[in-house]
Amino acid sequence: MPAFKITKATKIFSILFIGALCLTLGGSLYSAHLAKSEILHFWIFFPSGRGPPPTPIQINVNEQGSLKRILNPWTIALSTHWIINTDHQPHKVQLELVNCTIPVEWEVNAGFPWDPDTKTFTEPLDPGEGIPYLGIDWIIFVPENVRGQEVWYDGGLAVNDGDTGERLSFIPITIYGGWGLNLG
Amino acid sequence: MKLNLETLKRNKWRYLGFIFGFLFFVYPFAAIPRIIYFLQGSLAAPTLHSVCYRMTVEWMFTGRYWTTIIVQPIRLLALIAIVVAFFFGPLFCGWLCPIGSLTESLSRLTPRRLKIDFSGKVSLGAIRYGFFIGFLLPAILGMIGPATPVLGSCCAPEASSVAETLGIAGICCRYCAASSVQNIVDFLTGNFAALTYWHTGGIITMVFWLFIGGIFLFGGRGWCWVCPLGVLSNAVHYIGTKLGFTYKVKHDPTKCKDCGQCRGVCPSWAIKPAEKSVSIDRHACTVCKECVTACSSGALTYSRGHEDVKAS
Ligand code: SF4
Ligand code: SF4
């Protein structure tokens, strides 16, 4: 049986391979950690009571990465790609950020007609369907007078029927901003 | 590797390709997504995200791709790039991709003494495949066990218990250079809000893609090392080069004067010195043909047939 010889090239290859693998897996762990506080993505199923229950969203800005906290501390973002109608009947989806007095920019991109004034998808979403090609980012700008408070936002996202106004679902959202006391 | 008139003239079709890459894929131009969305009757904005090839490659390995292309035919583009890479080499990478072409062009404007350069000395295949396995692992582990919608992750929205226990998540969206390119172009074309939100992953990506792996890297193609489409394209190109009917950059050692001209122009660090000659690393070559046009001895050609040099 020929002796297996580890050449210098094999050693270098292995070191680079393992190094790149570990670095990428490290990036994955860090990504999972950041996902809870930076541009957190969530699912919206409606009406509540059908499909998975809404999970309350709690963002603690202390858990954000230090680079963001240093370079871009006063904006918080939330996002969704999934609004799914689990009802037996179609609904026009109207969205509302409840109890929101701080400036929020809605960036909505969808393969479905959207009215930015009423925050409504103007066509009914069929049962079992999700809004196609959806991407909504809520960019929240934390004003100076709020930065010193421990809770920056306490409200939630309501999903209403665009025709009847009936509340179909509600996802509580709280943003804890305690560290703002030091930076503000 | 500079951007002077001579280089521009020699490789005019390629630089025209760079411009077309932007016109084809980047909003507000985005001709290809526009056409596809128009045919589909979709109202979605045709941004660079719509062709996201990182997520597409991830889905190819987790099985989600094959159902997604039915509703999102735009995802076929990445598959086409890979099939083309088998027969002709990674032409999308070398000639069209806006992410790689932007940083390569910027790197050409940077003085050589300011650029990091280990070209010819490192095995990019090792780095690229190490990254690729690390890229796929969280996605594949995320499929084991019953999946539930989770808060937090964009590219792995349904986490399995295994993924949750290990605390891992996909890395497509958190570190996305396509977002950076699109945001910069949005900003330059009047959407000033595009640069208002920066998350940690976005900042890390920007620093690596644009600066360390771009402007200040010889060749400016550092991001390509960690691009799943790039890695996969090169992997299939490597297999393709073993077959006579495929196109590849070929090297004729009998004509080679070992002048090093080709090594000095290769943006992908794909040419390594070999005994009195050079060898081409198929795991890195993007068939940009810069070396072919630079070689005055005619030792490099882009054609069919068997490889003349042993690929490293
Ligand atoms: S490797 Fe990726 S980033 Fe680089 S040119 Fe190819 S597709 Fe673009
Ligand atoms: S080996 Fe030649 S064709 Fe391949 S990437 Fe380098 S310069 Fe381009």
Side-chain angles (χ1 to χ4, degrees):
Chain A
M1 206 175 102
F4 182 68
K5 201 166 158 255
I6 300 174
T7 61
K8 195 178 163 204
T10 315
K11 267 191 210 157
I12 295 173
F13 186 96
S14 312
I15 292 168
L16 289 176
F17 180 89
I18 293 168
L21 175 65
C22 292
L23 210 64
T24 313
L25 289 176
S28 162
L29 288 169
Y30 193 43
S31 170
H33 168 74
L34 294 174
K36 296 188 171 62
S37 56
E38 293 188 26
I39 194 141
L40 181 144
H41 285 68
F42 60 100
W43 293 70
I44 302 169
F45 293 96
F46 70 85
S48 45
R50 286 181 200 275
T55 315
I57 295 168
Q58 298 194 329
I59 294 177
N60 185 344
V61 294
N62 283 308
E63 287 169 9
Q64 296 187 131
S66 12
L67 281 174
K68 177 183 179 296
R69 291 206 284 164
I70 294 164
L71 297 172
N72 192 211
W74 309 122
T75 51
I76 306 292
L78 290 164
S79 183
T80 188
H81 295 297
W82 313 281
I83 298 183
I84 293 146
N85 181 2
T86 51
D87 207 352
H88 296 305
Q89 62 187 82
H91 290 281
K92 272 188 194 168
V93 179
Q94 197 246 330
L95 301 172
E96 178 192 353
L97 272 178
V98 175
N99 193 27
C100 187
T101 51
I102 55 182
V104 179
E105 191 184 295
W106 292 56
E107 286 182 8
V108 180
N109 177 22
F112 218 57
W114 165 255
D115 177 3
D117 297 326
T118 58
K119 312 262 187 286
T120 306
F121 289 100
T122 52
E123 265 179 32
L125 185 63
D126 286 332
E129 295 293 313
I131 305 233
Y133 289 111
L134 179 69
I136 306 182
D137 290 344
W138 290 271
I139 315 278
I140 300 167
F141 300 93
V142 185
E144 267 182 48
N145 61 329
V146 172
R147 292 175 191 174
Q149 294 170 14
E150 282 202 34
V151 176
W152 286 354
Y153 172 61
D154 192 9
L157 182 77
V159 182
N160 303 322
D161 185 299
D163 288 323
T164 63
E166 178 199 353
R167 179 149 299 179
L168 299 170
S169 185
F170 181 75
I171 299 166
I173 302 172
T174 315
I175 302 175
Y176 296 98
W179 61 275
L181 290 169
N182 306 326
L183 285 179
Chain B
M1 210 195 74
K2 277 190 260 167
L3 196 60
N4 51 31
L5 210 58
E6 202 201 320
T7 321
L8 275 176
K9 261 203 233 154
R10 262 200 334 245
N11 302 287
K12 54 182 177 301
W13 295 114
R14 180 165 184 253
Y15 298 122
L16 213 59
F18 286 6
I19 296 170
F20 273 106
F22 272 80
L23 298 179
F24 283 167
F25 302 113
V26 185
Y27 188 81
F29 321 107
I32 290 180
R34 272 183 202 282
I35 292 169
I36 295 176
Y37 284 168
F38 174 76
L39 294 175
Q40 256 193 300
S42 174
L43 298 170
T47 65
L48 188 53
H49 289 112
S50 58
V51 279
C52 174
Y53 24 83
R54 288 158 67 82
M55 214 180 313
T56 310
V57 170
E58 186 184 296
W59 290 348
M60 283 177 186
F61 286 82
T62 54
R64 199 165 150 190
Y65 181 72
W66 314 106
T67 48
T68 307
I69 42 172
I70 298 165
V71 280
Q72 298 185 17
I74 203 163
R75 304 280 174 198
L76 274 172
L77 291 172
L79 188 61
I80 294 170
I82 292 165
V83 173
V84 167
F86 179 79
F87 290 101
F88 301 98
L91 286 172
F92 174 77
C93 304
W95 291 67
L96 279 177
C97 174
I99 302 168
S101 67
L102 180 63
T103 46
E104 184 191 322
S105 308
L106 292 172
S107 164
R108 284 174 184 276
L109 303 173
T110 312
R112 179 99 197 226
R113 62 176 192 286
L114 298 180
K115 289 191 272 196
I116 306 161
D117 182 8
F118 295 109
S119 53
K121 296 187 191 91
V122 289
S123 164
L124 287 186
I127 296 175
R128 299 187 90 188
Y129 295 122
F131 154 78
F132 195 61
I133 303 290
F135 168 81
L136 289 181
L137 257 182
I140 291 169
L141 288 173
M143 291 172 61
I144 302 172
T148 45
V150 283
L151 282 186
S153 185
C154 170
C155 37
E158 293 137 315
S160 69
S161 43
V162 174
E164 286 221 273
T165 312
L166 295 174
I168 51 174
I171 58 165
C172 282
C173 312
R174 183 71 43 194
Y175 312 102
C176 173
S179 293
S180 305
V181 173
Q182 188 60 70
N183 287 347
I184 292 171
V185 174
D186 284 351
F187 182 82
L188 294 175
T189 51
N191 175 8
F192 302 120
L195 293 182
T196 44
Y197 180 73
W198 287 95
H199 57 90
T200 305
I203 298 166
I204 293 172
T205 305
M206 192 72 163
V207 170
F208 182 71
W209 161 71
L210 188 59
F211 297 105
I212 301 173
I215 295 172
F216 296 110
L217 186 81
F218 175 73
R221 289 266 175 176
W223 190 256
C224 303
W225 306 346
V226 292
C227 168
L229 181 63
V231 180
L232 201 53
S233 298
N234 271 102
V236 300
H237 174 52
Y238 173 78
I239 298 166
T241 55
K242 305 288 166 210
L243 306 165
F245 59 86
T246 60
Y247 280 81
K248 69 227 36 148
V249 173
K250 288 163 47 183
H251 176 249
D252 181 350
T254 58
K255 290 186 183 163
C256 180
K257 295 198 181 108
D258 196 22
C259 62
Q261 190 78 13
C262 54
R263 273 188 281 141
V265 297
C266 176
S268 304
W269 296 17
I271 304 185
K272 291 178 178 172
E275 203 186 324
K276 287 199 196 136
S277 184
V278 293
S279 76
I280 299 168
D281 183 351
R282 307 293 179 191
H283 302 293
C285 172
T286 55
V287 293
C288 69
K289 288 170 56 182
E290 294 268 345
C291 56
V292 175
T293 61
C295 177
S296 50
S297 337
L300 288 156
T301 49
Y302 173 69
S303 54
R304 293 201 303 192
H306 285 282
E307 293 177 280
D308 293 324
V309 203
K310 199 174 157 288
S312 42

